[in-house]
Amino acid sequence: MSTFGSPYRGRFAPSPSGPLHFGSLVAATGSFLEAKTRGGEWRLRMEDVDALRCSRETAGEILRVLEACGFAWDGEVIRQSRRRQAYAAALAKLMAAGRVFPCACTRRELADSLVAPDGAAIYPGTCRRGLAAGRSGRAWRVAVGAARVSFDDAIQGRVVSELASEAGDFILLRADGLYAYQLAVVVDDGEAGITDVVRGADLLASTSRQIFLQQCLGLPTPNYAHLPVAVNAAGEKLSKQTRATPVDGSRPGSVLLAALEFLGQQPPPELAGAAVQEVWSWARANWRLDHVPRGPALSGASQNVSGWDNAADT
Ligand code: GLU
């Protein structure tokens, strides 16, 4: 059971903008084990809302690698690219409630804005009280006002955010007509009845915005646990941008062992070379969320974990 009083329901939500890399596999492993050891469901959602950066082929490849690594998800795979109507309905609800406003500002006009800790421009509020004469809206933003959001992360501890200074009025519908990740994730988690979100700490800074949107939309707030993020020797998050090596689905046992070690679990040395199902049996019997290292990032440099490094340029 979750603390919601409803059955635990977790999820893994990869973005098919690049192949599955070690960092995503860590999120998949942690969210799966937490869900299963708490008797819950584990859903899968393809976050292909950004159609310009995602492809069907990559999504198919991610599913194949997950299957090869022995993951099994509950229910159908949800694809954000098919859920535009749900996002439009949520935006319409926020419009009716007067919580959003059209914004005419171009990227260049915002170039001098203050920058949030996650690198995004903090909106200076130019269009918040209406569009200037002769200008038309390109995007839709939500007005955050003086919102202060706090939550207790099961791994990272208490997080308190002042949205105005940390994010500003953020975009829900982009100028290119695509719905923003922040809106899509909140609508999808809400509709799927997700009770617990276990994901990488690179999304810790987004969580306050998501909780704020949940509150605006009258949706429940799930429990959160943000796992440390795998970074390369240069301290960069493993991602398509840093050319992280894709997970090798032909060595699933060792890949899974590496993810478990990264997550602070201590699989016995005898499991080296074992079949993936054997590694899963051990993991399901021994998973401990409280053994996951705290802190937002962990480098592979000091730990000899295979499948982790970023060296190969594929
Ligand atoms: N799609 C996001 C990513 O791959 C994860 C979003 C989430 O778990 O909320 O980084």
Side-chain angles (χ1 to χ4, degrees), residues 4-277:
F4 273 46
S6 46
Y8 184 111
R9 188 174 287 164
R11 61 18 165 226
F12 174 54
S15 300
S17 54
L20 197 77
H21 54 75
F22 184 71
S24 323
L25 186 86
V26 164
T29 305
S31 59
F32 179 84
L33 285 169
E34 186 61 11
K36 292 298 161 182
T37 55
R38 291 178 60 183
E41 288 181 5
W42 187 70
R43 301 286 180 101
L44 193 60
R45 179 167 78 231
M46 272 299 156
E47 299 217 313
D48 55 358
V49 68
D50 186 343
L52 304 173
R53 292 176 59 232
C54 297
S55 82
R56 276 197 77 82
E57 292 67 38
T58 307
E61 187 54 28
I62 289 175
L63 296 182
R64 271 191 294 283
V65 174
L66 287 173
E67 274 173 335
C69 291
F71 288 92
W73 47 91
D74 297 295
E76 294 286 300
V77 177
I78 302 293
R79 292 178 197 275
Q80 290 188 326
S81 52
R82 303 206 185 130
R83 292 190 34 79
R84 284 184 61 89
Q85 278 185 350
Y87 310 144
L91 183 61
K93 190 168 172 185
L94 295 171
M95 286 175 185
R99 312 231 33 174
V100 291
F101 60 91
C103 173
C105 300
T106 61
R107 205 176 280 253
R108 184 185 288 186
E109 285 167 331
L110 297 177
D112 293 336
S113 308
L114 292 173
V115 173
D118 66 356
I122 297 180
Y123 187 64
T126 321
C127 303
R128 193 183 299 136
R129 284 185 189 79
L131 295 170
R135 301 213 60 185
S136 46
R138 310 169 71 241
W140 283 84
R141 291 178 184 272
V142 62
V144 299
R148 189 164 191 267
V149 174
S150 57
F151 63 99
D152 290 305
D153 188 273
I155 297 169
Q156 308 294 341
R158 184 141 191 90
V159 178
V160 181
S161 302
E162 306 282 347
L163 283 187
S165 61
E166 290 175 31
D169 298 337
F170 54 97
I171 289 200
L172 302 185
L173 180 60
R174 297 167 19 172
D176 59 10
L178 295 174
Y179 287 95
Y181 157 70
Q182 308 291 357
L183 180 67
V185 74
V186 163
V187 171
D188 290 343
D189 282 344
E191 197 167 307
I194 299 299
T195 61
D196 291 75
V197 171
V198 179
R199 61 183 177 187
D202 51 317
L203 292 158
L204 195 58
S206 289
T207 306
S208 304
R209 275 171 276 175
Q210 293 170 17
I211 292 174
F212 174 71
L213 279 181
Q214 288 154 6
Q215 291 167 352
C216 293
L217 288 164
L219 294 168
T221 291
N223 302 306
Y224 288 97
H226 285 87
L227 306 166
V229 167
V231 294
N232 63 19
E236 301 162 324
K237 181 196 156 200
L238 301 191
S239 69
K240 189 179 161 197
Q241 286 70 31
T242 56
R243 292 192 277 187
T245 313
V247 168
D248 181 355
S250 69
R251 310 163 40 237
S254 55
V255 162
L256 181 59
L257 274 178
L260 291 168
E261 284 172 13
F262 181 89
L263 287 167
Q265 314 300 304
Q266 287 166 352
E270 306 85 82
L271 277 179
V276 70
Q277 288 315 336

